[in-house]
């Protein structure tokens, strides 16, 4: 009996040991399979779906296994390696260091991108060998910061000229106090510089307002006829002084949606530029037409034209294609920049055609709007005829 119990105990012990060995082997196999073919946690996938920045997850071999919806611009494709060597190096550093790594770098976005983008990339290890890299594109912030710096520098430079001229003229005026002719001449020049300064500061404020505002304020249905008429009327005196004829034609009765005051200023700037660069005896044409659900307002001159190299820069702030003529006419170099931003605020664009010696045509293109509904006329009530009580005659009103 004791021998049977002993055999039973030994058999149970051997069975338990075999079970433990089998379970351990199965678990080791599962761990090996998990290490060879790791699975991305579902929580990570859910996190990727709500990220605003581009986010990419790669497996231990560097193959992309998941991306966020906003990462398409990076060019990451599931099942392939990341193209950007800079990002791959950052992910290697995170894997070796075992902690988050962040760098500011320039990368090319996708296969067709030519210009590198400035990004802030951060990489960290998650799960079993997976590496997450998030990429935030700060190229636009860099561009805006550069624009602000350029704007401040250009504005300071442009303001120094009239301010310095006024200071010198004031000093000359004081020294020539006993000479009436000199006083008159210096006073006229000082007045001209003051006007130039006022015009420059006014246009700087207009441009800053257009760039800073997210939306237009006074928006409604605007008659293109009224915009063109007001813009041309504002430049009639200037045109007459330059012996330039203003000619208006084209389609009538068209409407756009926007701020009438801003649109008048934009068209007026184009007409003013056309007059300034037109020879005496020529004419400036303002034409309107409706085409493809859009309104086009074209301002054409017979002036000197714009060189091909300068055509790409004419909408830059403070850029002047003809420096000498701008000094004579008091140009600020801001008119076309104001036009560009004003039309972009209305969802439109400005196009340029020009040939040296043959003149230029600036065309504003805006979305066409339906004409506003005409107000209903009040219905007149007919008065019933009433008999006069005294005479018996009918009094018809």
């Amino acid at each position: 009996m004791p021998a049977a119990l002993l055999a039973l105990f030994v058999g149970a012990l051997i069975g338990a040991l075999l079970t433990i060995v089998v379970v351990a082997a199965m678990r080791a196999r599962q761990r090996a399979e998990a290490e060879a073919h790791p699975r991305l946690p579902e929580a990570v996938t859910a996190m990727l779906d709500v990220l605003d920045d581009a986010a990419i997850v790669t497996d231990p071999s560097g193959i992309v296994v998941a991306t966020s919806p906003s990462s398409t611009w990076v060019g990451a494709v599931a099942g392939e390696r990341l193209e950007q060597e800079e990002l791959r190096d950052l992910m290697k550093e995170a894997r070796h260091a075992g902690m988050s790594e962040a760098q500011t770098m320039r990368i090319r976005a996708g296969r067709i991108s030519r210009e590198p983008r400035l990004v802030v990339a951060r990489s960290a290890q998650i799960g079993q060998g997976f590496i997450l890299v998030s990429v935030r594109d700060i190229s636009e912030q860099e561009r805006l910061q550069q624009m602000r710096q350029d704007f401040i520098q250009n504005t300071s430079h442009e303001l120094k000229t009239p301010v310095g001229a006024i200071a010198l003229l004031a000093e000359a005026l004081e020294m020539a106090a006993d000479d009436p002719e000199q006083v008159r001449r210096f006073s006229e020049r000082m007045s001209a510089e003051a006007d130039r300064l006022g015009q420059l500061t006014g246009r700087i404020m207009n441009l800053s307002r257009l760039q800073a505002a997210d939306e237009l304020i006074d928006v409604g249905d605007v008659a293109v006829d009224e915009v063109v008429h007001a813009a041309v009327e504002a430049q009639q005196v200037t045109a007459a002084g330059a012996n330039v004829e203003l000619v208006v034609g084209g389609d009538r009765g068209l409407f756009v949606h926007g701020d009438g005051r801003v649109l008048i200023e934009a068209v007026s700037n184009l007409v003013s530029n056309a007059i300034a660069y037109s020879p005496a005896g020529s004419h400036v044409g303002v034409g309107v037409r409706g085409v493809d659900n859009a309104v086009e307002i074209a301002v054409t001159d017979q002036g000197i034209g714009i060189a091909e190299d300068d055509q790409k820069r004419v909408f830059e702030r403070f850029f002047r294609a003809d420096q000498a003529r701008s000094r004579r006419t008091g140009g600020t170099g801001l008119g076309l920049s104001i036009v560009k931003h004003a039309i972009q605020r209305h969802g439109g664009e400005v196009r340029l055609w020009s040939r040296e010696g043959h003149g230029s045509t600036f065309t504003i293109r805006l979305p066409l709007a339906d004409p506003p509904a005409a107000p209903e006329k009040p219905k007149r009530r007919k008065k019933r005829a009433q008999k006069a009580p005294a005479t018996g005659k009918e009094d018809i009103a």
Side-chain angles (χ1 to χ4, degrees):
M1 187 69 178
L5 290 175
L6 179 62
L8 181 62
F9 174 76
V10 172
L13 181 61
I14 293 174
L17 290 174
L18 289 174
T19 302
I20 293 173
V21 170
V22 171
V23 171
M26 292 179 62
R27 289 182 176 177
R29 181 180 178 181
Q30 290 175 352
R31 285 196 298 270
E33 290 180 351
E35 291 177 358
H37 305 285
R39 296 182 61 184
L40 188 66
E42 295 182 358
V44 175
T45 305
M47 177 191 68
L48 292 177
D49 291 337
V50 299
L51 288 179
D52 292 331
D53 293 336
I56 303 158
V57 179
T58 66
D59 63 14
S61 61
I63 302 300
V64 177
V65 295
T67 61
S68 66
S70 55
S71 63
T72 54
W73 65 269
V74 181
V77 179
E80 299 182 5
R81 290 172 59 86
L82 272 176
E83 293 182 1
Q84 295 83 0
E85 184 177 355
E86 300 85 356
L87 295 180
R88 295 201 304 267
D89 292 342
L90 179 65
M91 298 174 82
K92 289 178 183 177
E93 292 179 11
R95 180 181 292 111
H96 294 155
M99 62 181 67
S100 175
E101 295 287 338
Q103 291 182 14
T104 300
M105 62 181 69
R106 293 190 183 276
I107 64 171
R108 295 187 183 278
R111 293 180 172 87
I112 61 175
S113 176
R114 294 183 179 179
E115 293 296 330
R117 299 190 187 184
L118 183 67
V119 302
V120 175
R122 182 179 296 274
S123 183
Q125 186 169 352
I126 58 174
Q128 298 178 343
F130 290 102
I131 300 295
L132 168 69
V133 59
S134 65
V135 185
R136 176 171 296 179
D137 187 356
I138 59 173
S139 302
E140 184 65 15
Q141 299 177 24
E142 180 189 35
R143 187 184 70 84
L144 292 175
Q145 181 63 27
Q146 186 62 46
M147 287 177 59
R148 293 190 187 98
Q149 293 178 357
D150 292 343
F151 184 68
I152 293 172
Q153 292 176 358
N154 291 335
T155 301
S156 301
H157 175 74
E158 293 293 331
L159 288 174
K160 284 180 180 178
T161 302
V163 170
I166 291 174
L168 290 175
L169 288 169
E171 182 178 351
L173 186 63
E174 182 178 2
M175 296 177 61
D178 296 333
D179 188 342
E181 182 62 25
Q182 290 282 72
V183 168
R184 184 188 62 80
R185 188 164 63 88
F186 288 141
S187 297
E188 290 178 353
R189 291 182 57 187
M190 185 180 294
S191 178
E193 291 295 336
D195 290 341
R196 179 185 176 189
L197 180 61
Q199 184 183 29
L200 178 61
T201 54
R203 292 201 164 186
I204 289 173
M205 293 177 63
N206 287 340
L207 182 58
S208 299
R209 173 175 53 82
L210 287 171
Q211 290 180 321
D214 293 331
E215 296 180 357
L216 297 169
I217 299 176
D218 189 10
V219 177
D221 293 323
V222 180
V224 177
D225 296 340
E226 296 179 1
V227 171
V228 172
H229 176 76
V232 171
E233 280 294 314
Q235 301 298 328
Q236 284 289 3
V237 175
T238 303
N243 191 22
V244 173
E245 181 184 6
L246 298 181
V247 180
V248 180
D251 299 339
R252 299 183 62 84
L254 300 177
F255 285 81
V256 295
H257 193 70
D259 188 327
R261 181 176 56 83
V262 174
L263 291 175
I264 291 172
E265 181 179 5
V267 178
S268 181
N269 281 341
L270 291 183
V271 176
S272 175
N273 269 15
I275 296 171
Y277 287 91
S278 294
S282 64
H283 69 265
V284 169
V286 183
V288 179
R289 71 168 182 164
V291 56
D292 297 332
N293 293 321
V295 177
E296 293 185 349
I297 306 173
V299 179
T300 302
D301 64 58
Q302 299 174 312
I304 60 176
I306 303 172
E308 186 174 354
D309 293 340
D310 292 336
Q311 292 182 24
K312 301 176 182 178
R313 302 188 58 197
V314 291
F315 294 102
E316 295 179 9
R317 291 165 298 186
F318 299 110
F319 178 78
R320 301 179 180 92
D322 188 336
Q323 297 283 350
R325 185 181 292 266
S326 294
R327 284 193 295 269
R328 292 196 303 270
T329 60
T332 62
L334 290 174
L336 292 178
S337 183
I338 291 175
V339 173
K340 175 185 174 182
H341 285 86
I343 300 306
Q344 286 179 342
R345 278 282 181 262
H346 287 78
E349 61 177 343
V350 186
R351 300 173 180 175
L352 166 63
W353 175 92
S354 184
R355 183 181 299 172
E356 289 186 273
H358 293 79
S360 305
T361 297
F362 287 86
T363 303
I364 291 174
R365 185 178 175 88
L366 295 167
L368 179 66
D370 294 329
E376 295 183 0
K377 295 182 180 180
K379 296 181 179 179
R380 297 181 61 184
R381 294 182 178 179
K382 296 182 179 180
K383 295 183 179 180
R384 293 183 178 180
Q386 297 179 352
K387 293 183 179 180
T391 62
K393 298 179 179 179
E394 291 184 349
D395 181 14
I396 302 177

